[in-house]
Amino acid sequence: MYSYQDIIWIGLVTSNEASSQISAGRVSVMTNHKLSIWYHPIYTNGIHPDARFPRERYTRLVDKLETPKYSNKFIIKQPTEASRNELIIAHDPVYVDNFLNQTLTDKEIKRIGLTPWTPQIIPRTLLLMGGAIAALDHVMESGGIAGNMAGGTHHAHFDFGSGYCIFNDLAVCSLLALRKYQLTKIAVIDLDVHQGDGTATILQNVDEVLTISVHCKQNFPFRKSESDHDLELPANAGDEEILAMVAKALEFAKEFNPELILFQAG
């Protein structure tokens, strides 16, 4: 078995089918349809080998997906860089410019992590964000589900990065979908062991986006933000307890009846 961890999944659900699809724990996807996933080698190579981060996870997952057992189920696509205008839809322009111009303070960089930074940290970040946006565009144009291999950067806030996250792809894609595609209901379902604190703060006053976070109560971030629904689990939670909480998260999403689901896979 391979893991879906470290992928942001984006799924389009038409309003009249949302209830049945979510209650089944899935989104609409055509039978025998290959899933498109955006990936670039810089997702790994853009992180310094000495960084305290398991950078090889991306290449290992791609290697697994390209084996005969799975290659007929996925299409691996390369992203293009996200633009500044796309980033500032969810982030402070001053923060964005300081990152792009390499003028963040040492304190700001330390809060983000991934240190020591390499010259590739900027193109890596822009391609990572571009992969999420490309997956969003693909879903809006073709329906079904798409993913970005290094997505789910849910610890990035409006004007600072944190927890290995520089910009928040979930927030950027949510706000882009509202503006570019005139959607009115989007659900962000975050099943990472850590709370999606940055997503919660950026989208806290956006009524069109429902934020749901299922996470460990005792884990990072230790100062939690407030999502629309925070479903906390103890550190020693077992499968049955976790699945029951996931079912509760899906029920909240079902009640919201979203047109689009952004899923942080962990």
Side-chain angles (χ1 to χ4, degrees):
M1 293 295 291
Y2 55 87
S3 171
Y4 285 130
Q5 290 185 349
D6 310 303
I7 298 179
I8 174 177
W9 291 105
I10 300 175
L12 179 66
V13 185
T14 59
S15 57
N16 61 353
E17 70 181 354
S19 177
S20 62
Q21 295 293 335
I22 296 173
S23 63
R26 55 191 170 84
V27 293
S28 176
V29 60
M30 293 185 294
T31 303
N32 299 322
H33 179 66
K34 286 189 177 182
L35 296 184
S36 294
I37 301 179
W38 274 259
Y39 164 78
H40 194 287
I42 203 172
Y43 288 1
T44 290
N45 299 334
I47 299 175
H48 196 283
D50 295 335
R52 189 180 175 184
F53 185 85
R55 68 179 199 143
E56 301 299 332
R57 61 176 68 180
Y58 308 116
T59 54
R60 289 175 180 173
L61 184 51
V62 167
D63 289 345
K64 180 71 74 172
L65 296 182
E66 290 180 340
T67 61
K69 184 176 180 179
Y70 302 114
S71 60
N72 65 332
K73 297 178 175 65
F74 299 92
I75 301 175
I76 308 297
K77 301 183 178 182
Q78 281 208 358
T80 57
E81 293 185 354
S83 69
R84 177 184 181 275
N85 286 338
E86 288 169 329
L87 298 176
I88 64 174
I89 195 172
H91 290 285
D92 179 8
V94 174
Y95 168 60
V96 173
D97 289 340
N98 284 341
F99 172 76
L100 296 177
N101 296 327
Q102 304 181 60
T103 55
L104 290 179
T105 65
D106 290 341
K107 183 178 180 180
E108 288 174 309
I109 292 173
K110 183 177 180 180
R111 186 171 193 173
I112 292 169
L114 301 175
T115 54
W117 282 9
T118 75
Q120 289 186 301
I121 193 68
I122 293 176
R124 177 189 188 269
T125 301
L126 296 179
L127 285 166
L128 184 154
M129 296 298 295
I133 294 168
L136 169 67
D137 290 337
H138 176 82
V139 164
M140 294 307 304
E141 294 165 5
S142 304
I145 305 172
N148 184 37
M149 186 73 71
T153 48
H154 58 173
H155 297 311
H157 293 251
F158 173 70
D159 56 358
F160 66 91
S162 175
Y164 306 137
C165 304
I166 296 172
F167 300 125
N168 192 310
D169 55 356
L170 294 157
V172 167
C173 285
S174 294
L175 297 175
L176 275 175
L178 294 177
R179 180 177 299 183
K180 183 176 180 180
Y181 296 105
Q182 291 79 51
L183 297 188
T184 59
K185 285 191 175 185
I186 299 169
V188 178
I189 303 176
D190 190 331
L191 301 188
D192 192 278
V193 68
H194 309 111
Q195 189 208 31
D197 56 328
T199 309
T201 59
I202 294 174
L203 300 175
Q204 62 185 338
N205 295 318
V206 183
D207 294 336
E208 297 87 351
V209 182
L210 182 76
T211 55
I212 305 170
S213 181
V214 178
H215 54 266
C216 178
K217 182 177 182 179
Q218 292 87 1
N219 215 321
F220 180 89
F222 300 106
R223 181 180 298 176
K224 301 289 192 289
S225 300
E226 185 176 347
S227 310
D228 292 314
H229 297 286
D230 286 302
L231 306 177
E232 296 184 325
L233 288 158
N236 60 348
D239 290 350
E240 290 186 6
E241 192 173 0
I242 294 171
L243 290 174
M245 201 66 81
V246 170
K248 191 173 182 179
L250 293 176
E251 191 61 33
F252 283 131
K254 176 183 175 182
E255 292 172 359
F256 189 65
N257 197 27
E259 302 158 289
L260 181 74
I261 296 173
L262 306 182
F263 172 44
Q264 215 280 23

